[in-house]
Amino acid sequence: MRILVINGPNMNLLGVRQPEIYGKATYQDLMDLVKGEAESLGVEVDFFQSNHEGALVDAIHRAYFEGVEGIVINPAACTHTSVALLDAVKAVGIPTVEVHISDPDSREEFRHISYIRAACVATIRGHGLPGYCEALRLLAGRSPSHTPPEGGTSPTL
Ligand code: CA2
């Protein structure tokens, strides 16, 4: 099983600022943690991080054409603004788990809305970095429901 872990804007700065909210671990630490979990589950994992909404949409499309079977996504600030990400996850039909390190529902009002949630099989929030591992376990335990297209990658992406 192939799983793609997507992180949105500013997640590359993990561990650099606001450790009181997001902890001291870096983005590299996050990838190492998830790689370890993937290994013990026997699943293949890839990572993508971008500060650009369109690049996140493109990554979701690529996942479809490359036959990725599960997506773990922390859209970061795009959680609260992006209908484009919601539409992308709906369009590709790949089982997707939304993850947040903090619990946005217990923070500012504007963080209480998640557009992408409606397209996700689950949301894990407020569990810190281990939340990504929970998401991986959840996806690894599902039987595949997404049939990748024949013929490899999209020529336009
Ligand atoms: O709790 C989460 O995982 C969030 O998705 C993180 C987003 C925030 O906009 C969401 O409401 C909740 C912010 C990610 C920004 O990451 C930073 C990392 C280090 C320093 C500053 C920001």
Side-chain angles (χ1 to χ4, degrees):
M1 183 180 202
R2 285 182 65 197
I3 295 177
L4 176 65
V5 179
I6 299 177
N7 278 284
N10 299 307
M11 294 298 291
N12 54 313
L13 295 181
L14 265 185
V16 175
R17 299 278 315 274
Q18 297 186 279
E20 69 286 1
I21 302 177
Y22 303 115
K24 284 185 185 159
T26 63
Y27 180 65
Q28 184 62 52
D29 294 334
L30 168 63
M31 290 195 291
D32 291 344
L33 179 77
V34 174
K35 273 183 211 159
E37 184 70 21
E39 243 174 70
S40 63
L41 289 169
V43 301
E44 205 180 306
V45 75
D46 289 311
F47 297 89
F48 181 80
Q49 189 277 328
S50 178
N51 298 320
H52 306 278
E53 181 182 16
L56 298 171
V57 171
D58 286 344
I60 293 167
H61 293 186
R62 262 197 314 276
Y64 173 74
F65 289 108
E66 291 173 6
V68 167
E69 290 152 294
I71 294 176
V72 175
I73 187 165
N74 183 345
C78 294
T79 307
H80 319 300
T81 59
S82 180
V83 176
L85 284 179
L86 165 68
D87 287 345
V89 171
K90 273 192 178 165
V92 299
I94 301 173
T96 298
V97 178
E98 175 191 14
V99 172
H100 298 285
I101 296 172
S102 68
D103 178 6
D105 287 352
S106 63
R107 298 177 63 190
E108 304 96 318
E109 191 83 28
F110 65 84
R111 296 187 201 273
H112 296 186
I113 288 177
S114 166
Y115 287 99
I116 204 168
R117 189 165 302 173
C120 293
V121 297
T123 296
I124 295 166
R125 52 184 197 267
H127 294 185
L129 301 193
Y132 288 78
C133 298
E134 280 179 54
L136 219 60
R137 288 198 291 275
L138 201 154
L139 288 170
R142 286 172 63 94
S143 46
S145 59
H146 159 71
T147 315
E150 297 283 330
T153 55
S154 158
T156 55
L157 297 174

Coordinates of all heavy atoms in Angstrom, one line a residue, residues 58-147:
D58 N -2.2 20.0 -7.0 CA -1.5 19.2 -8.0 C -1.0 17.9 -7.4 O -1.0 16.9 -8.0 CB -0.3 20.0 -8.5 CG -0.7 21.1 -9.5 OD1 -1.9 21.1 -10.0 OD2 0.1 22.0 -9.8
A59 N -0.5 18.0 -6.1 CA 0.0 16.8 -5.5 C -1.1 15.7 -5.3 O -0.9 14.5 -5.4 CB 0.6 17.1 -4.1
I60 N -2.3 16.2 -5.0 CA -3.5 15.3 -4.8 C -3.8 14.6 -6.2 O -4.1 13.4 -6.3 CB -4.7 16.0 -4.2 CG1 -4.3 16.4 -2.8 CG2 -5.9 15.2 -4.3 CD1 -5.3 17.4 -2.1
H61 N -3.8 15.4 -7.2 CA -4.0 14.9 -8.6 C -3.0 13.9 -9.0 O -3.3 12.8 -9.5 CB -4.0 16.0 -9.6 CG -5.2 17.0 -9.5 ND1 -5.4 18.0 -10.4 CD2 -6.1 17.1 -8.5 CE1 -6.5 18.7 -10.0 NE2 -6.9 18.2 -8.9
R62 N -1.7 14.2 -8.7 CA -0.6 13.3 -9.1 C -0.8 12.0 -8.3 O -0.6 10.9 -8.9 CB 0.7 13.9 -8.6 CG 1.5 14.5 -9.8 CD 2.9 14.8 -9.5 NE 3.2 15.3 -8.1 CZ 3.2 16.6 -7.9 NH1 2.9 17.5 -8.8 NH2 3.4 17.1 -6.6
A63 N -1.2 12.1 -7.0 CA -1.4 10.9 -6.2 C -2.4 9.9 -6.9 O -2.2 8.7 -7.0 CB -1.9 11.2 -4.8
Y64 N -3.4 10.5 -7.5 CA -4.4 9.7 -8.2 C -3.8 9.0 -9.4 O -4.0 7.8 -9.6 CB -5.6 10.6 -8.7 CG -6.6 9.9 -9.6 CD1 -7.5 9.0 -9.0 CD2 -6.6 10.2 -10.9 CE1 -8.4 8.4 -9.9 CE2 -7.5 9.6 -11.8 CZ -8.4 8.7 -11.2 OH -9.3 8.0 -12.0
F65 N -3.1 9.7 -10.2 CA -2.5 9.1 -11.4 C -1.4 8.2 -11.1 O -1.1 7.3 -11.9 CB -2.0 10.2 -12.4 CG -3.2 11.0 -13.0 CD1 -3.5 12.3 -12.7 CD2 -4.0 10.3 -14.0 CE1 -4.6 12.9 -13.2 CE2 -5.1 11.0 -14.5 CZ -5.4 12.3 -14.2
E66 N -0.8 8.3 -10.0 CA 0.3 7.4 -9.6 C -0.2 6.2 -8.8 O 0.6 5.4 -8.3 CB 1.4 8.2 -8.8 CG 2.1 9.1 -9.8 CD 3.1 10.0 -9.0 OE1 3.3 9.9 -7.8 OE2 3.6 10.9 -9.7
G67 N -1.5 6.1 -8.5 CA -2.0 4.9 -7.8 C -1.8 4.9 -6.3 O -1.8 3.9 -5.7
V68 N -1.6 6.1 -5.8 CA -1.6 6.2 -4.3 C -2.9 5.8 -3.7 O -4.0 6.1 -4.2 CB -1.2 7.6 -3.9 CG1 -1.4 7.9 -2.4 CG2 0.2 8.0 -4.3
E69 N -2.8 5.0 -2.6 CA -4.1 4.4 -2.1 C -4.6 5.0 -0.8 O -5.7 4.7 -0.4 CB -3.8 2.9 -1.8 CG -3.7 2.1 -3.1 CD -2.8 0.9 -2.9 OE1 -1.6 1.0 -2.6 OE2 -3.3 -0.2 -3.0
G70 N -3.8 5.9 -0.2 CA -4.3 6.7 0.9 C -3.5 8.0 1.1 O -2.4 8.1 0.7
I71 N -4.2 9.0 1.6 CA -3.6 10.3 1.8 C -3.8 10.7 3.2 O -4.9 10.6 3.8 CB -4.2 11.4 0.9 CG1 -3.9 11.1 -0.6 CG2 -3.7 12.8 1.2 CD1 -4.5 12.1 -1.6
V72 N -2.7 11.1 3.8 CA -2.8 11.8 5.2 C -2.5 13.3 4.9 O -1.4 13.6 4.3 CB -1.7 11.2 6.1 CG1 -1.7 12.0 7.4 CG2 -2.0 9.7 6.4
I73 N -3.4 14.2 5.3 CA -3.1 15.6 4.9 C -3.3 16.5 6.1 O -4.3 16.4 6.8 CB -4.0 16.0 3.7 CG1 -3.7 17.4 3.3 CG2 -5.5 15.9 4.1 CD1 -4.2 17.8 1.9
N74 N -2.3 17.3 6.4 CA -2.5 18.5 7.3 C -2.4 19.7 6.4 O -1.4 20.2 6.1 CB -1.4 18.5 8.3 CG -1.6 19.6 9.3 OD1 -2.4 20.5 9.1 ND2 -0.9 19.6 10.4
P75 N -3.6 20.2 6.0 CA -3.6 21.4 5.1 C -3.2 22.7 5.7 O -3.1 23.7 5.1 CB -5.1 21.4 4.6 CG -5.7 20.2 5.1 CD -5.0 19.8 6.3
A76 N -2.9 22.6 7.1 CA -2.5 23.8 7.8 C -3.5 24.9 7.6 O -4.7 24.7 7.6 CB -1.1 24.2 7.5
A77 N -3.1 26.1 7.3 CA -4.1 27.3 7.2 C -5.1 27.0 6.1 O -6.2 27.5 6.1 CB -3.3 28.6 6.9
C78 N -4.7 26.3 5.0 CA -5.6 26.0 3.9 C -6.9 25.2 4.4 O -7.9 25.2 3.7 CB -4.9 25.3 2.8 SG -3.7 26.3 2.0
T79 N -6.7 24.5 5.5 CA -7.9 23.8 6.1 C -9.1 24.7 6.2 O -10.2 24.3 5.9 CB -7.6 23.4 7.6 OG1 -6.3 22.7 7.6 CG2 -8.7 22.6 8.2
H80 N -8.8 26.0 6.6 CA -9.9 26.9 7.0 C -10.3 27.8 5.8 O -11.2 28.7 6.0 CB -9.4 27.8 8.2 CG -8.7 27.0 9.2 ND1 -9.2 25.9 9.9 CD2 -7.4 27.1 9.7 CE1 -8.3 25.4 10.7 NE2 -7.2 26.1 10.6
T81 N -9.7 27.6 4.6 CA -10.0 28.6 3.5 C -10.3 27.8 2.2 O -10.8 28.4 1.3 CB -8.8 29.5 3.3 OG1 -7.6 28.6 3.0 CG2 -8.4 30.3 4.5
S82 N -9.8 26.6 2.0 CA -9.7 26.1 0.7 C -10.8 25.1 0.3 O -10.8 23.9 0.7 CB -8.3 25.4 0.5 OG -8.2 24.8 -0.8
V83 N -11.6 25.6 -0.6 CA -12.6 24.7 -1.3 C -11.9 23.9 -2.4 O -12.3 22.8 -2.7 CB -13.8 25.6 -1.9 CG1 -14.8 24.7 -2.6 CG2 -14.5 26.4 -0.7
A84 N -10.8 24.5 -2.9 CA -10.1 23.8 -4.0 C -9.5 22.4 -3.4 O -9.6 21.4 -4.1 CB -8.9 24.7 -4.5
L85 N -9.0 22.4 -2.2 CA -8.5 21.2 -1.6 C -9.7 20.2 -1.4 O -9.5 19.0 -1.6 CB -7.7 21.4 -0.3 CG -6.3 22.0 -0.5 CD1 -5.7 22.2 0.8 CD2 -5.5 21.1 -1.4
L86 N -10.8 20.7 -0.9 CA -12.0 19.8 -0.7 C -12.3 19.2 -2.0 O -12.5 18.0 -2.1 CB -13.1 20.7 -0.2 CG -14.5 20.0 -0.2 CD1 -14.6 18.9 0.7 CD2 -15.6 21.1 0.1
D87 N -12.4 20.0 -3.1 CA -12.8 19.5 -4.4 C -11.8 18.5 -4.9 O -12.2 17.5 -5.5 CB -13.0 20.6 -5.4 CG -14.3 21.5 -5.1 OD1 -15.1 21.0 -4.4 OD2 -14.3 22.6 -5.7
A88 N -10.5 18.7 -4.7 CA -9.5 17.8 -5.2 C -9.6 16.4 -4.5 O -9.6 15.4 -5.2 CB -8.1 18.4 -4.9
V89 N -9.8 16.4 -3.2 CA -9.9 15.1 -2.5 C -11.2 14.4 -2.9 O -11.2 13.2 -3.1 CB -9.9 15.4 -0.9 CG1 -10.2 14.1 -0.2 CG2 -8.5 15.9 -0.5
K90 N -12.3 15.2 -3.1 CA -13.5 14.6 -3.5 C -13.3 14.0 -4.9 O -13.8 12.9 -5.2 CB -14.7 15.6 -3.6 CG -15.4 15.8 -2.3 CD -16.7 16.6 -2.6 CE -17.5 16.8 -1.3 NZ -18.5 17.8 -1.4
A91 N -12.6 14.7 -5.8 CA -12.5 14.3 -7.2 C -11.7 13.0 -7.3 O -12.0 12.2 -8.1 CB -11.8 15.5 -8.0
V92 N -10.6 12.9 -6.6 CA -9.8 11.7 -6.7 C -10.3 10.5 -6.0 O -10.0 9.4 -6.4 CB -8.3 12.0 -6.3 CG1 -7.7 13.1 -7.2 CG2 -8.2 12.3 -4.8
G93 N -11.1 10.7 -5.0 CA -11.7 9.5 -4.3 C -10.8 8.7 -3.6 O -11.1 7.5 -3.3
I94 N -9.6 9.2 -3.3 CA -8.6 8.4 -2.5 C -8.9 8.6 -1.0 O -9.1 9.7 -0.5 CB -7.2 8.9 -2.7 CG1 -6.8 8.8 -4.2 CG2 -6.2 8.1 -1.9 CD1 -5.4 9.4 -4.6
P95 N -9.1 7.5 -0.2 CA -9.3 7.6 1.2 C -8.3 8.6 1.9 O -7.1 8.4 1.8 CB -9.2 6.2 1.7 CG -9.5 5.3 0.6 CD -8.9 6.1 -0.6
T96 N -8.8 9.6 2.5 CA -8.0 10.7 3.0 C -8.3 10.9 4.5 O -9.4 11.0 4.9 CB -8.2 12.0 2.2 OG1 -7.8 11.7 0.8 CG2 -7.4 13.1 2.7
V97 N -7.2 11.0 5.3 CA -7.4 11.4 6.7 C -6.8 12.8 7.0 O -5.7 13.0 6.6 CB -6.7 10.3 7.6 CG1 -6.9 10.7 9.1 CG2 -7.3 9.0 7.4
E98 N -7.6 13.6 7.5 CA -7.2 15.0 7.9 C -6.5 14.9 9.3 O -7.1 14.3 10.2 CB -8.4 15.9 8.0 CG -8.2 17.3 8.4 CD -9.5 18.1 8.7 OE1 -10.5 17.4 8.8 OE2 -9.4 19.3 8.9
V99 N -5.3 15.5 9.4 CA -4.6 15.5 10.7 C -4.2 17.0 11.1 O -3.9 17.8 10.2 CB -3.3 14.7 10.6 CG1 -2.4 14.9 11.8 CG2 -3.6 13.2 10.4
H100 N -4.4 17.3 12.4 CA -3.9 18.5 12.9 C -3.1 18.2 14.2 O -3.6 17.5 15.0 CB -5.0 19.5 13.2 CG -5.8 19.9 12.0 ND1 -5.3 20.8 11.1 CD2 -7.0 19.4 11.5 CE1 -6.2 20.8 10.1 NE2 -7.2 20.1 10.3
I101 N -2.0 18.9 14.3 CA -1.1 18.7 15.5 C -1.8 19.3 16.7 O -1.9 18.6 17.7 CB 0.2 19.4 15.3 CG1 1.0 18.7 14.1 CG2 1.1 19.4 16.5 CD1 2.2 19.4 13.7
S102 N -2.3 20.5 16.6 CA -3.1 21.1 17.6 C -4.6 20.7 17.4 O -4.9 20.1 16.5 CB -2.9 22.6 17.6 OG -3.5 23.2 16.4
D103 N -5.4 21.2 18.4 CA -6.9 21.0 18.1 C -7.5 22.4 17.7 O -7.7 23.2 18.6 CB -7.5 20.6 19.4 CG -9.0 20.4 19.2 OD1 -9.5 20.6 18.1 OD2 -9.7 20.1 20.2
P104 N -7.7 22.6 16.4 CA -8.2 23.9 15.9 C -9.5 24.3 16.5 O -9.8 25.4 16.7 CB -8.3 23.6 14.4 CG -7.5 22.5 14.1 CD -7.5 21.6 15.3
D105 N -10.3 23.3 16.9 CA -11.6 23.6 17.5 C -11.5 24.3 18.9 O -12.5 24.9 19.3 CB -12.5 22.3 17.6 CG -12.9 21.8 16.3 OD1 -12.8 22.5 15.3 OD2 -13.5 20.7 16.2
S106 N -10.4 24.1 19.5 CA -10.2 24.8 20.8 C -9.4 26.1 20.7 O -8.9 26.6 21.7 CB -9.6 23.9 21.8 OG -8.3 23.5 21.4
R107 N -9.2 26.5 19.4 CA -8.4 27.8 19.2 C -9.3 28.9 18.7 O -10.5 28.9 19.0 CB -7.2 27.4 18.3 CG -6.3 26.4 18.9 CD -5.1 26.0 18.0 NE -4.3 27.2 17.7 CZ -3.3 27.2 16.8 NH1 -3.1 26.1 16.1 NH2 -2.6 28.2 16.5
E108 N -8.8 29.8 17.9 CA -9.6 30.9 17.4 C -10.8 30.4 16.6 O -10.7 29.4 15.9 CB -8.8 31.9 16.6 CG -7.5 32.5 17.2 CD -6.3 31.7 16.9 OE1 -6.3 30.4 16.9 OE2 -5.2 32.3 16.6
E109 N -11.8 31.2 16.6 CA -13.1 30.9 15.9 C -12.8 30.6 14.4 O -13.4 29.6 13.9 CB -14.0 32.1 16.0 CG -15.4 31.9 15.5 CD -16.3 31.3 16.6 OE1 -16.0 31.5 17.8 OE2 -17.2 30.5 16.2
F110 N -11.9 31.3 13.8 CA -11.7 31.1 12.3 C -11.1 29.7 12.0 O -11.1 29.3 10.9 CB -10.9 32.2 11.7 CG -9.4 32.3 12.2 CD1 -8.4 31.5 11.7 CD2 -9.1 33.2 13.2 CE1 -7.1 31.6 12.1 CE2 -7.8 33.3 13.7 CZ -6.8 32.5 13.2
R111 N -10.5 29.1 13.1 CA -9.9 27.7 12.9 C -11.0 26.6 13.0 O -10.7 25.5 12.9 CB -8.8 27.5 13.8 CG -7.6 28.4 13.6 CD -6.4 28.0 14.5 NE -5.5 29.2 14.6 CZ -4.5 29.5 13.8 NH1 -4.3 28.7 12.7 NH2 -3.7 30.5 14.0
H112 N -12.2 27.0 13.4 CA -13.2 26.0 13.7 C -13.8 25.4 12.4 O -14.4 24.3 12.4 CB -14.3 26.5 14.6 CG -13.9 27.0 15.9 ND1 -14.7 27.4 16.9 CD2 -12.6 27.0 16.5 CE1 -14.0 27.7 18.0 NE2 -12.7 27.5 17.7
I113 N -13.7 26.1 11.3 CA -14.1 25.6 10.0 C -13.1 24.8 9.3 O -11.9 25.2 9.2 CB -14.6 26.7 9.1 CG1 -15.9 27.4 9.6 CG2 -14.7 26.3 7.6 CD1 -16.3 28.6 8.7
S114 N -13.4 23.6 8.9 CA -12.6 22.8 8.0 C -13.4 22.4 6.8 O -14.3 21.7 6.8 CB -12.1 21.5 8.7 OG -11.5 20.7 7.7
Y115 N -12.9 23.0 5.6 CA -13.6 22.7 4.4 C -13.3 21.2 4.0 O -14.2 20.5 3.5 CB -13.2 23.6 3.3 CG -13.8 25.0 3.4 CD1 -13.1 26.0 4.0 CD2 -15.1 25.2 3.1 CE1 -13.6 27.3 4.2 CE2 -15.7 26.5 3.2 CZ -14.9 27.5 3.8 OH -15.5 28.7 4.0
I116 N -12.1 20.8 4.1 CA -11.7 19.5 3.6 C -12.3 18.3 4.4 O -12.4 17.2 3.9 CB -10.1 19.4 3.6 CG1 -9.6 18.3 2.6 CG2 -9.6 19.0 5.0 CD1 -8.1 18.4 2.4
R117 N -12.7 18.6 5.6 CA -13.2 17.5 6.5 C -14.3 16.7 5.8 O -14.4 15.5 6.0 CB -13.7 18.1 7.8 CG -14.1 17.1 8.9 CD -14.3 17.8 10.2 NE -13.0 18.5 10.6 CZ -12.9 19.2 11.7 NH1 -13.9 19.4 12.5 NH2 -11.7 19.8 12.0
A118 N -15.2 17.4 5.1 CA -16.3 16.8 4.4 C -15.9 15.7 3.5 O -16.7 14.8 3.1 CB -17.2 17.8 3.7
A119 N -14.7 15.7 3.0 CA -14.2 14.7 2.0 C -13.3 13.7 2.6 O -12.8 12.8 1.9 CB -13.5 15.4 0.9
C120 N -13.1 13.8 3.9 CA -12.2 12.9 4.6 C -12.9 11.7 5.3 O -14.0 11.9 5.8 CB -11.3 13.7 5.6 SG -10.2 14.8 4.7
V121 N -12.2 10.6 5.4 CA -12.8 9.4 6.1 C -12.6 9.6 7.7 O -13.4 9.0 8.4 CB -12.1 8.1 5.7 CG1 -12.4 7.8 4.3 CG2 -10.6 8.0 6.0
A122 N -11.7 10.5 8.1 CA -11.6 10.8 9.5 C -10.7 12.0 9.7 O -10.0 12.5 8.8 CB -10.8 9.6 10.2
T123 N -10.9 12.6 10.9 CA -10.1 13.8 11.3 C -9.4 13.4 12.6 O -10.1 13.0 13.5 CB -10.9 15.0 11.4 OG1 -11.5 15.4 10.1 CG2 -10.1 16.2 11.9
I124 N -8.1 13.6 12.7 CA -7.4 13.4 14.0 C -6.8 14.7 14.4 O -6.0 15.3 13.6 CB -6.3 12.3 13.8 CG1 -7.0 11.0 13.4 CG2 -5.4 12.2 15.0 CD1 -6.0 9.9 12.9
R125 N -7.2 15.3 15.5 CA -6.7 16.6 15.9 C -6.3 16.6 17.4 O -6.9 15.9 18.2 CB -7.7 17.6 15.6 CG -9.1 17.3 16.1 CD -10.1 18.4 15.7 NE -11.3 18.4 16.5 CZ -12.4 17.7 16.3 NH1 -12.4 16.9 15.2 NH2 -13.4 17.7 17.1
G126 N -5.2 17.4 17.6 CA -4.8 17.6 19.0 C -4.0 16.5 19.6 O -3.7 16.5 20.8
H127 N -3.5 15.5 18.7 CA -2.7 14.4 19.3 C -1.2 14.6 19.0 O -0.4 13.7 19.1 CB -3.2 13.1 18.6 CG -4.6 12.7 19.1 ND1 -5.1 11.5 18.7 CD2 -5.5 13.4 19.8 CE1 -6.4 11.4 19.2 NE2 -6.6 12.6 19.9
G128 N -0.8 15.8 18.5 CA 0.6 16.1 18.2 C 1.0 15.3 17.0 O 0.2 14.8 16.2
L129 N 2.3 15.1 16.9 CA 2.9 14.4 15.8 C 2.4 12.9 15.7 O 2.2 12.4 14.6 CB 4.4 14.4 15.7 CG 5.1 15.8 15.7 CD1 6.6 15.6 15.3 CD2 4.4 16.7 14.7
P130 N 2.2 12.2 16.8 CA 1.7 10.8 16.8 C 0.3 10.8 16.0 O -0.1 9.7 15.6 CB 1.5 10.4 18.2 CG 2.5 11.3 19.0 CD 2.5 12.6 18.2
G131 N -0.4 11.9 15.9 CA -1.6 11.9 15.1 C -1.4 11.4 13.7 O -2.3 10.8 13.1
Y132 N -0.3 11.7 13.1 CA 0.0 11.3 11.7 C 0.2 9.7 11.7 O -0.2 9.1 10.7 CB 1.4 11.9 11.2 CG 1.3 13.4 10.9 CD1 1.3 14.3 11.9 CD2 1.2 13.8 9.6 CE1 1.3 15.7 11.6 CE2 1.2 15.2 9.3 CZ 1.2 16.1 10.3 OH 1.2 17.4 10.0
C133 N 0.8 9.2 12.7 CA 0.9 7.7 12.8 C -0.4 7.0 13.0 O -0.7 6.0 12.3 CB 1.9 7.3 14.0 SG 3.5 8.0 13.8
E134 N -1.3 7.7 13.8 CA -2.7 7.1 13.9 C -3.4 7.1 12.6 O -4.1 6.2 12.2 CB -3.5 8.0 14.8 CG -3.3 7.8 16.3 CD -4.1 8.8 17.1 OE1 -5.3 8.9 16.9 OE2 -3.5 9.5 17.9
A135 N -3.2 8.2 11.8 CA -3.8 8.3 10.5 C -3.3 7.2 9.6 O -4.1 6.5 8.8 CB -3.6 9.7 9.9
L136 N -2.0 6.9 9.6 CA -1.4 5.9 8.8 C -2.0 4.5 9.2 O -2.3 3.7 8.3 CB 0.1 5.9 9.1 CG 1.1 5.7 8.0 CD1 0.9 6.7 6.9 CD2 2.5 5.7 8.5
R137 N -2.1 4.3 10.5 CA -2.7 3.0 10.9 C -4.1 2.8 10.5 O -4.5 1.8 10.0 CB -2.6 2.9 12.5 CG -1.2 2.7 13.0 CD -1.2 2.2 14.5 NE -1.7 3.2 15.4 CZ -1.0 4.1 16.0 NH1 0.3 4.2 15.7 NH2 -1.5 5.0 16.8
L138 N -4.8 3.9 10.5 CA -6.2 3.9 10.1 C -6.3 3.5 8.6 O -7.1 2.7 8.2 CB -6.9 5.3 10.4 CG -8.3 5.4 10.5 CD1 -8.7 6.6 11.3 CD2 -9.0 5.5 9.1
L139 N -5.5 4.2 7.8 CA -5.5 3.9 6.4 C -5.0 2.5 6.1 O -5.6 1.8 5.2 CB -4.7 4.9 5.6 CG -5.3 6.3 5.5 CD1 -4.3 7.3 5.0 CD2 -6.6 6.3 4.7
A140 N -4.0 2.1 6.8 CA -3.4 0.7 6.5 C -4.4 -0.4 6.9 O -4.4 -1.5 6.3 CB -2.1 0.5 7.3
G141 N -5.3 -0.1 7.8 CA -6.3 -1.1 8.2 C -7.5 -1.2 7.3 O -8.4 -2.0 7.5
R142 N -7.6 -0.2 6.3 CA -8.8 -0.2 5.4 C -8.5 -1.1 4.2 O -7.4 -1.2 3.7 CB -9.0 1.2 4.9 CG -9.6 2.1 5.9 CD -9.7 3.5 5.4 NE -10.5 3.6 4.2 CZ -11.8 3.9 4.2 NH1 -12.4 4.2 5.4 NH2 -12.5 4.0 3.1
S143 N -9.6 -1.8 3.7 CA -9.3 -2.5 2.5 C -9.4 -1.4 1.3 O -10.1 -0.5 1.4 CB -10.4 -3.5 2.2 OG -11.7 -3.0 2.5
P144 N -8.6 -1.6 0.3 CA -8.5 -0.6 -0.8 C -9.8 -0.4 -1.4 O -10.5 -1.3 -1.8 CB -7.5 -1.2 -1.8 CG -6.9 -2.4 -1.2 CD -7.7 -2.8 0.0
S145 N -10.2 0.9 -1.6 CA -11.5 1.2 -2.2 C -11.3 2.0 -3.4 O -12.3 2.4 -4.1 CB -12.4 1.9 -1.2 OG -11.8 3.1 -0.8
H146 N -10.1 2.3 -3.7 CA -9.8 3.2 -4.8 C -9.0 2.5 -5.9 O -8.0 1.8 -5.6 CB -8.9 4.4 -4.3 CG -8.1 5.1 -5.4 ND1 -8.8 5.9 -6.3 CD2 -6.8 5.1 -5.7 CE1 -7.8 6.4 -7.1 NE2 -6.7 5.9 -6.8
T147 N -9.5 2.5 -7.1 CA -8.8 1.8 -8.2 C -8.0 2.8 -9.0 O -8.6 3.7 -9.6 CB -9.9 1.2 -9.2 OG1 -10.8 0.5 -8.4 CG2 -9.2 0.2 -10.1

